[in-house]
Amino acid sequence: MLREGSADNTMASYRSAIQYWAAWHQLRMRRALALPVAVDTVLQFIADHVEHLEGQALVHDLPAEVDAALVSAKVKRRPGPYKLATVRHRLAVLSEAHETRSLPNPCRDRAVQAVLERTRSAYAKRGVRSARKDALTREPLERLLATCDESLAGLRDRALLLFAWASGGRRRSEVVRATMENTRRVAEGYLYTLAYSKTNQEGVARADSHKPVVGRAALALDAWLAAAGITTGPLFRRVRRGGVIGEGLSAEAVRKIVQARAAQAGLEGDYAAHSLRSGFITEAGRQGLPLGETMALSNHASVASVIGYHRAGEALSSRGGRLLDGEPQAAERPRP
């Protein structure tokens, strides 16, 4: 039940992290991974994977032969240090593994916490920020849509991009769970009922569970469903050779569609499925949509996680940034 009730992406990321810990521990510590892990081992893991200054050069402590072996074992994509966010995720997974077994948790040790705190400060001083996917605001989104022709794949991708963006910036897992059964036709277009999401994992009925798919998004969905002959099951499906409609898309397929369309459109930057979500929120801020209404559509539970994108959009239309663009106005003299 714990596995079934967990998000697929979360389970995959946890599995990947533990596999890496096991491989690193075997190669670096020369023995199999066993819980609880020693504090010194966790500190060595941090030193192996984050960059620190040695003279004028940035280095990390992972031996080259161990690094190469990890890449060869396909538990690491490329040699070199990890991003700080990846190291923190690996530590969070190890911490959870200890907590669920009620074992002494080395990740909560004062020495580990102190090193992580100073590491974050060091990275911040170097100007290193957490990498975010570029946001697909309205202008770049239009360029993606322009690459979608009238073929079955083109109709599907246009409908998918508009559905995900215009319904509030849907997560890719939410896009692939959209079906004919939870997407109801109404006079204005469609209402997609989001019964389960990252912020509503218990499926509690909420007033904001219904997401509008209207205007261009509804027309694009109409065209795709009619051309594909879909009347039940997943909305977005594979298109096989010869125009054969296959099974529902995976979350990974959504990411690949966004990246492929971005490449076709000639967009410079790093785009993925999350770009639709961040793009919607940024554009909402740019066009002055209230934060509360934006969050109701996007299903963000925390203001802290959405405010950055929303304010980024607002900043572009700030009057304060254009104070020198207009004619200066003479100050009104105070009346005697």
Side-chain angles (χ1 to χ4, degrees):
M1 293 308 297
L2 286 171
R3 285 194 297 271
E4 185 180 347
S6 299
D8 293 341
N9 290 342
T10 301
M11 290 293 293
S13 71
Y14 274 43
R15 190 178 303 112
S16 174
I18 288 297
Q19 287 172 348
Y20 184 81
W21 267 105
W24 172 86
H25 199 279
Q26 183 67 58
L27 289 164
R28 189 70 160 107
M29 313 310 292
R30 300 186 181 279
R31 60 182 184 275
L33 177 68
L35 302 185
V37 174
V39 170
D40 285 351
T41 300
V42 176
L43 291 172
Q44 185 64 64
F45 183 89
I46 296 171
D48 278 2
H49 294 90
V50 301
E51 291 183 299
H52 53 275
L53 277 173
E54 194 169 283
Q56 297 298 315
L58 286 171
V59 299
H60 65 290
D61 290 357
L62 189 64
E65 62 275 13
V66 174
D67 206 0
L70 290 167
V71 174
S72 179
K74 297 184 179 180
V75 294
K76 196 167 187 270
R77 288 186 181 179
R78 61 185 70 87
Y82 270 145
K83 293 180 180 178
L84 182 55
T86 303
V87 174
R88 293 176 65 184
H89 177 264
R90 295 283 192 260
L91 292 171
V93 172
L94 186 70
S95 176
E96 181 66 15
H98 284 78
E99 293 290 337
T100 55
R101 290 164 177 78
S102 300
L103 295 172
N105 189 347
C107 300
R108 293 185 179 275
D109 186 86
R110 183 176 178 182
V112 172
Q113 293 296 311
V115 169
L116 280 178
E117 183 180 343
R118 296 297 175 87
T119 301
R120 287 194 294 267
S121 296
Y123 271 57
K125 285 169 67 177
R126 292 181 214 150
V128 179
R129 298 288 183 269
S130 297
R132 284 183 170 182
K133 299 297 182 185
D134 291 317
L136 278 168
T137 51
R138 181 168 183 172
E139 293 82 359
L141 177 66
E142 294 287 6
R143 291 176 60 182
L144 260 69
L145 294 171
T147 69
C148 300
D149 57 20
E150 298 307 307
S151 67
L152 277 172
L155 291 171
R156 179 201 63 194
D157 291 359
R158 182 187 295 117
L160 185 152
L161 292 168
L162 285 168
F163 176 94
W165 198 94
S167 65
R170 301 272 59 83
R171 300 177 179 90
R172 56 181 180 167
S173 59
E174 296 167 359
V175 172
V176 299
R177 281 199 295 269
T179 65
M180 292 298 292
E181 289 73 28
N182 60 25
T183 308
R184 180 165 53 94
R185 195 67 169 90
V186 294
E188 299 83 355
Y190 294 86
L191 276 179
Y192 168 45
T193 301
L194 189 62
Y196 171 89
S197 70
K198 183 178 179 180
T199 55
N200 184 18
Q201 296 190 15
E202 295 180 0
V204 178
R206 296 177 177 175
D208 60 357
S209 294
H210 306 292
K211 309 301 177 185
V213 182
V214 296
R216 292 171 61 190
L219 293 175
L221 187 56
D222 277 337
W224 156 244
L225 294 177
I230 296 172
T231 57
T232 60
L235 297 186
F236 303 109
R237 308 184 185 206
R238 289 187 63 183
V239 177
R240 302 184 184 277
R241 288 184 180 180
V244 177
I245 304 300
E247 68 277 13
L249 293 178
S250 66
E252 178 65 11
V254 177
R255 179 185 68 82
K256 290 180 178 179
I257 286 171
V258 174
Q259 290 180 328
R261 291 293 175 184
Q264 275 186 263
L267 293 184
E268 295 182 0
D270 188 11
Y271 295 94
H274 189 74
S275 300
L276 294 165
R277 187 164 174 78
S278 59
F280 170 81
I281 297 165
T282 305
E283 188 65 35
R286 180 185 294 179
Q287 296 197 27
L289 193 69
L291 181 61
E293 186 173 347
T294 303
M295 291 181 64
L297 285 168
S298 68
N299 264 71
H300 274 90
S302 167
V303 173
S305 61
V306 72
I307 193 67
Y309 293 113
H310 199 267
R311 283 182 175 170
E314 288 180 329
L316 298 173
S317 56
S318 170
R319 291 176 58 196
R322 301 181 182 277
L323 292 180
L324 291 175
D325 291 353
E327 291 294 327
Q329 296 181 0
E332 184 179 346
R333 294 182 178 179
R335 294 180 181 180

